[in-house]
Amino acid sequence: MTENSQQRPDSGPNSHPELPTQYAPADVEGQLYERWVERGYFEADENSGKEPYTIVIPPPNVTGSLHLGHAFEHTIIDALTRRKRMQGYETLWQPGMDHAGIATQNVVERELAKEGVSRHDLGREAFVERVWQWKAGSGGQISGQMRRLGDGVAWNRERFTMDEGLSKAVQTIFKKLYDDELIYRAERIINWCPRCLTAISDIEVEYQDDDGELVSIRYGEGDESIVVATTRAETMLGDTAVAVHPDDERYRHLIGTEIELPLTGRRIPVVADEHVDPEFGTGAVKVTPAHDPNDFEIGQRHGLPSLTVMDEHAVITAHGPFQGLDRLEARSAIVGALRADGRIVAEKRPYVHSVGHCSRCKTTIEPRLSMQWWVKVGPLAKAAGDAVRDGRVKIHPEDMAKRYFDWVDNLHDWCISRQLWWGHRIPVWYGPNGEVVCVGPDERPPSGEGWHQDSDVLDTWFSSGLWPFSTLGWPEDTGSLRKFYPNSVLVTGYDILFFWVARMMMFGLYAMDGTPPFHTIALHGMVRDQLGKKMSKSFGNAVNPLDWMDQYGSDAVRFTLARGANPGVDVPIGEDWVQASRNFANKIWNATRFALMNGATVEGELPAAERLSAADRWILSRLNTVVAEVDAYYEDYQFAKLSDVLYHFAWDEVFDWYVELSKTTFARGGEAADASRRVLGEVLDVMLRLLHPVVPFVTEKLWTALTGRESVVIADWPRDSGFRDAAAEQEITTLQQVVTEVRRFRADQGLQPGQKVPARLDLSGTPLAAHEDAMRSLLRLQPAGEGFTATASLPVAGATVALDLSGAIDVEAERKRLAKDLAAAEKDKAQTTAKLNNEAFLAKAPDHVVEKIRQRQTTADADIARITAQLAALPQG
């Protein structure tokens, strides 16, 4: 399984640099990463003949810093790309950052506020220049943090969504969509932030339960009155109708009539609309088309006017006593006026309901009618759905596909304009006589008196939707585009399946002649705390991964995250788990150091099977099985399972058993020891290569020390040689059974782990005779000298281990303890047997309850057998 023949430039093949006694990640990680970058291991060659493997980084915000979600996602992507690189693919992990329109503008505006100026004082051009200065000086700190984590990205290809090439791509696709009548300008309801003064996307709205009030208001008089309920009483100033269900008998006589809208003197119609749920509340709803998305749709269906009663700051503009009040001030004042007028039928407060907030500034979102630019998503969304339905794109795990279809099959037109200064400015010019001209990247914009460019910029998701192909040079026909598009896989969180993923699918299929942007969409969950709670600064459970990296090393953080990565499932993580991963890294270090000190080698061919001991053949057989299992799990994106397989193989089999068995062989010397040194070298070589994609730093340091070769980053990925030895596996399994049972007996008798006792081993009839020395070493058993008297005899797997425990334990106290344990086990056996023999119980009890009782009975049987054997083995007195 060792195919790679690379040589390290600074040492020969037999040179094993001495490893420090302890692993110190801080002394290793930084210098190793810089060496990898300097040697160009992560760069991608578009001219190579290798098969490409491409993944784009979900571009982090330029304002961002590394959080556990980033660390989790990057660990998965890095593991995939490192493995593919070792498998011989031309691997490109495309890095870059998003300009993050609102977030970045807010950061720079806050800096300006400290200087006592606003962006309006600077003007647009100077403000944008100030943002670029901020980016050059302070933006992109996450790039350095990605290096800390070990991200193997192609830094020489790093892109930014506002750089020249990507800006050209944005302008190109806008012009193409516009010419194809898939972009239009219209007045619609949008999410509006009164603080940021811009429309924001659905993903930038955070919903939380707020304490509000539910007020029931009577419109009209007498038999012609209708009661409506609202949590936003201030919007009633913009009501233009009341809607009821057409089949609601309570209001059928009012449909088509008009009733008086309180406080305004206006009369508004009662309309029938099937959108209204007659079972909810009073079965009647107020209709405010300019301030509610559902009401806007009702208004469109019934030709209702849309009255805007708030400005962009959420201040009331409607004429009357409430004009000039903030929306919350107006809400209280309007409820007071309605109460004084006898119009309040009921009030409920606090009324807890879900309210949208701006994710950037936490201001309550205001639905608002506004003139904006829109993408007509119908044909684009259909193409995005079809690409998954016909198998060109696979969603993993498969059960997430339904959520994808639920979204793309019901997608509304997309508002792409933002009232910001930082971002890709909409390439549309307006003339003095109402002319509208969309300008492509190679076209000269119109000029002259009265011509001006649209002041809005594009939604950040518009440019990030082009990411899989704009980063490769599109719209130019580049070698990189031909080599690396489409992406092999997209790794991202299920939380942005609807926003980023759907947009990339729509734009990729549209711009690249029906070729989807990736073959597979691999969705992962969110990182949560160890109790499963969402991580948040407000909850006090947010963790800076850099702190854990400083304390435990980057490998420990990565391995912890990978061990929790089940496809599409949220990932709990706690500091004690990171500590356990640090201990695993230390264990790998110590085992490899032991191997080097004892002459483990990767040089030369493996000895023929007939020259190997059973332990050698067992570990090689198990090694090949693990290679096959890890490969299968990688192909299924089962990072938790592959990490668990590697953890238990390394710790439970290699370190706890094979290394311990090797100690006896090495002490004996001779050809057997030489063979085991070669086998131990082989096992560590392959194991370190298997572990490398997940824990790159410690494996690099150990693998180069072990092999004398240049770098594990460019080593060959291990292959299953097909070698299996069932007989050797059974032999070592038998040895493990005997050793484990005797160890359990020793512990049950209260013997200390290092306490030696005389013993006689009868291994006749078993394949264990060759292992007696190793078994004695593992079990701390002295030879049975003259006068040996067996006070306990343990029959296990055909072998018998006789021990002289005289003087080592208090036999009578031990017999009493075991008798008490036996009585408890027999009682549990009786209780479970009675229940399982009760037909009435079996007929009524749920399956999982019955199964749990069966498991208790099985455990009781095993305990009775074990304790009975221990009692029989005690010295008779």
Side-chain angles (χ1 to χ4, degrees), residues 563-638:
R563 285 194 80 182
N566 290 298
V569 179
D570 288 347
V571 183
I573 185 172
E575 186 168 3
D576 53 339
W577 302 342
V578 184
Q579 291 174 351
S581 295
R582 184 270 315 273
N583 295 344
F584 179 53
N586 289 342
K587 188 77 171 179
I588 301 169
W589 182 273
N590 291 335
T592 306
R593 188 168 178 272
F594 163 84
L596 290 174
M597 291 171 62
N598 284 275
T601 180
V602 298
E603 298 307 316
E605 296 294 323
L606 278 171
E610 56 269 18
R611 292 181 52 207
L612 298 176
S613 69
D616 293 336
R617 287 181 279 113
W618 161 72
I619 200 64
L620 290 175
S621 182
R622 288 290 304 128
L623 179 66
N624 278 285
T625 298
V626 166
V627 170
E629 288 177 349
V630 168
D631 275 333
Y633 285 139
Y634 261 114
E635 295 306 314
D636 200 33
Y637 305 98
Q638 297 279 1

Side-chain angles (χ1 to χ4, degrees), residues 46 54 56 92 94 157 159 166 466-474 476-487:
E46 65 194 46
T54 315
V56 292
L92 170 60
Q94 174 67 54
R157 291 173 173 266
R159 303 304 298 268
L166 270 63
L466 314 180
W467 192 248
F469 51 93
S470 63
T471 52
L472 298 173
W474 188 89
E476 306 302 327
D477 180 21
T478 65
S480 289
L481 191 64
R482 292 192 298 272
K483 177 79 172 182
F484 295 113
Y485 186 92
N487 281 210

Side-chain angles (χ1 to χ4, degrees), residues 430-436 449-451:
Y430 304 104
N433 299 312
E435 301 96 332
V436 179
E449 187 175 348
W451 282 94

